[in-house]
């Protein structure tokens, strides 16, 4: 099967890059600190998690037992970065087309670029959070594992799948307005069913296969492995995850292309 979506994105690369830039800058336009908020928000979150788990819960995480509660905060935040990237895409996707009616009715516009803009914006915020995480690790451990360099490959299946889900939900959201309510509920459930606040190994053996069905579980575990534990990623994860992401993107893109013919009539 010939992949069509890479060609479509590359052809409109300048457009979605500029729209992503406008999306990121527009979110903070008019505020006193501007884009600095993209760093201050995750920094504030990390500070809160560190305080709560170090002073209130006295929590520990096995892989960073020597770091005490700070190790717990680092492990938690590394998983939360992945979840927030996906949550931003999923929560925005159902209303994406309705939020841009002029692109549907009045101009010839590659609507698939809107999904790439959402993913690009979410990825920007994930990277800023990652910078905060790396800075905190440098402060606590005085160094970073070299396996950080594997992160782009670890996140490739994540970004591809997020793009596929964004295209799919944005198309469905035109015809089914209830999708937005469903996605909000699902993401709230996934937050506590993902290994964010705990490692998969901490679960009873009988429940681990069930939690592994969560599509975020492996991405979070692999992200934590390369950024916190200093381990190489699973070759099987990279192969199967990337293959699945490419296939999901292609099927979602083709479905979106067919569905968008009816957008103007519905809206």
């Amino acid at each position: 099967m010939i992949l069509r979506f890479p060609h479509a994105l590359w052809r409109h690369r300048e457009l979605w890059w500029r729209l992503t830039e406008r999306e990121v800058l527009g979110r903070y336009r008019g505020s006193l600190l501007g884009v600095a908020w993209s760093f201050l928000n995750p920094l504030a979150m990390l500070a809160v998690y560190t305080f709560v788990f170090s002073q209130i819960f006295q929590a520990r995480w096995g892989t960073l037992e020597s770091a005490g509660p700070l190790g717990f905060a680092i492990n938690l935040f590394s998983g939360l970065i992945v979840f927030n990237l996906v949550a931003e895409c999923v929560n925005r996707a159902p209303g994406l087309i309705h939020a841009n009616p002029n692109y549907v009715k009045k101009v010839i516009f590659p609507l698939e670029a809107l999904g790439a803009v959402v993913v690009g914006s979410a990825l920007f915020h994930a990277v800023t959070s990652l910078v905060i995480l790396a800075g905190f690790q440098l402060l606590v451990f005085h160094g970073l594992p070299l396996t950080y360099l594997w992160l782009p490959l670890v996140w490739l299946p994540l970004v591809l799948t997020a793009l596929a889900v964004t295209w799919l939900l944005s198309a469905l959201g035109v015809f089914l307005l209830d999708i937005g309510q469903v996605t909000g509920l699902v993401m709230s459930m996934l937050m506590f069913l993902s290994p964010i606040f705990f490692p998969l190994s901490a679960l009873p053996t009988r429940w681990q296969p069930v939690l592994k069905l969560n599509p975020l579980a492996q991405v979070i575990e692999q992200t934590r492995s390369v950024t916190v534990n200093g381990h190489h990623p699973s070759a099987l994860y990279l192969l199967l995850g990337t293959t699945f992401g490419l296939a999901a993107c292609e099927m979602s893109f083709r479905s979106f292309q067919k569905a968008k013919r009816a957008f103007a009539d519905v809206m």
Side-chain angles (χ1 to χ4, degrees):
M1 180 175 66
I2 299 176
L3 298 179
R4 292 165 49 187
F5 79 92
H7 174 69
L9 292 179
W10 179 255
R11 184 174 55 188
H12 303 297
R13 62 191 181 281
E14 183 70 19
L15 174 64
W16 67 258
W17 177 265
R18 295 300 179 188
L19 287 176
T20 301
E21 184 180 33
R22 189 184 71 173
E23 171 77 17
V24 171
L25 296 177
R27 180 174 300 193
Y28 306 104
R29 184 175 293 118
S31 62
L32 185 62
L33 298 178
V35 181
W37 280 112
S38 63
F39 290 92
L40 292 176
N41 285 331
L43 183 61
M45 291 172 58
L46 182 57
V48 169
Y49 290 135
T50 302
F51 171 76
V52 169
F53 288 102
S54 65
Q55 302 301 318
I56 298 177
F57 291 118
Q58 296 292 318
R60 298 290 187 275
W61 197 292
T63 55
L64 290 179
E65 187 70 29
S66 60
L70 295 180
F72 191 98
I74 289 172
N75 273 296
L76 185 154
F77 196 63
S78 64
L80 198 63
I81 292 172
V82 173
F83 175 82
N84 285 342
L85 189 158
V86 175
E88 182 175 344
C89 296
V90 170
N91 289 333
R92 292 188 56 194
L96 183 60
I97 305 301
H98 281 289
N100 297 278
N102 290 336
Y103 292 152
V104 178
K105 297 181 178 181
K106 296 183 179 179
V107 296
I108 298 176
F109 184 87
L111 292 174
E112 61 274 8
L114 294 176
V117 170
V118 170
V119 176
S121 175
L123 186 59
F124 169 81
H125 291 104
V127 171
T128 57
S129 296
L130 191 66
V131 170
I132 297 299
L133 175 65
F136 193 66
Q137 287 179 269
L138 285 171
L139 184 65
V140 175
F141 303 118
H142 310 293
L144 295 174
L146 288 177
T147 49
Y148 249 97
L149 297 175
W150 283 101
L151 192 59
L153 288 179
V154 170
W155 275 12
L156 180 59
L158 171 68
V159 173
L160 289 171
T161 305
L163 181 58
V165 171
T166 301
W167 277 331
L168 180 62
L169 292 179
S170 62
L172 288 175
V174 175
F175 307 102
L176 301 172
L177 298 182
D178 290 341
I179 289 291
Q181 304 300 322
V182 174
T183 55
L185 176 61
V186 169
M187 293 312 297
S188 295
M189 295 170 61
L190 276 181
M191 182 174 184
F192 294 100
L193 294 176
S194 300
I196 298 173
F197 303 96
F198 54 86
L200 280 177
S201 58
L203 293 172
T205 305
R206 68 178 182 276
W207 290 112
Q208 289 184 20
V210 177
L211 266 293
K212 285 181 180 179
L213 295 176
N214 178 351
L216 291 179
Q218 288 301 318
V219 186
I220 290 174
E221 289 285 287
Q222 291 297 315
T223 298
R224 190 173 283 140
S225 179
V226 300
T227 60
V228 179
N229 301 330
H231 298 156
H232 289 79
S234 165
L236 184 62
Y237 161 80
L238 295 179
L239 177 61
L240 294 183
T242 303
T243 302
F244 172 82
L246 288 171
C249 257
E250 185 61 23
M251 289 188 291
S252 182
F253 174 76
R254 295 190 181 211
S255 298
F256 184 90
Q257 292 294 88
K258 292 180 180 179
K260 76 176 184 180
R261 300 169 189 166
F263 287 174
D265 295 332
V266 174
M267 296 176 64

